[in-house]
Amino acid sequence: MADEPKINFLDAIKYARFIPLVVQAVTGEQALMGPGDGAAKKAAAMKIVIAALAITEGVAERDLVNDEAALALASRLIELAVQLLQLQPEIERIAANIRALKPGGVQ
């Protein structure tokens, strides 16, 4: 990761506003494409992020963020969002096991 652009604190705050967009892009692509090729899904999610960034900067009529850094961060966020989606069945299983430990069994 040494070749990734450096992001200062103020830029990180700006980029944080894009996190909900990235998560929505990933979950939207998952819903549309279903199970399958992760690389194609990531590419589609990145296209959504790139378009949203272009629209946001176009409406603002100025460069809001370092595009290279924002896209590197978006790429990493997409990877993390996918990992979270993959963990969901395991989290649900653990939650069910915890509920089963309560007096009276599963509720």
Side-chain angles (χ1 to χ4, degrees):
M1 291 192 181
D3 60 341
E4 289 185 9
K6 300 287 187 228
I7 301 173
N8 68 40
F9 181 73
L10 293 177
D11 283 341
I13 292 171
K14 289 181 203 174
Y15 300 144
R17 293 183 287 181
F18 290 100
I19 291 173
L21 168 71
V22 172
V23 172
Q24 184 62 38
V26 170
T27 56
E29 284 306 314
Q30 181 68 18
L32 288 173
M33 299 177 80
D37 185 7
K41 290 179 189 178
K42 182 176 180 180
M46 284 298 292
K47 286 180 183 178
I48 293 170
V49 171
I50 290 166
L53 181 58
I55 290 168
T56 302
E57 289 186 338
V59 168
E61 295 181 340
R62 63 189 177 105
D63 190 26
L64 298 173
V65 296
N66 174 322
D67 292 351
E68 184 181 338
L71 294 178
L73 181 61
S75 177
R76 182 67 181 129
L77 286 171
I78 288 170
E79 291 168 5
L80 291 172
V82 168
Q83 289 174 359
L84 285 172
L85 287 171
Q86 291 171 343
L87 286 173
Q88 187 175 352
E90 181 66 13
I91 292 168
E92 290 171 359
R93 186 187 64 75
I94 291 169
N97 288 340
I98 291 171
R99 286 190 300 271
L101 294 174
K102 291 182 180 179
V106 178
Q107 298 178 5

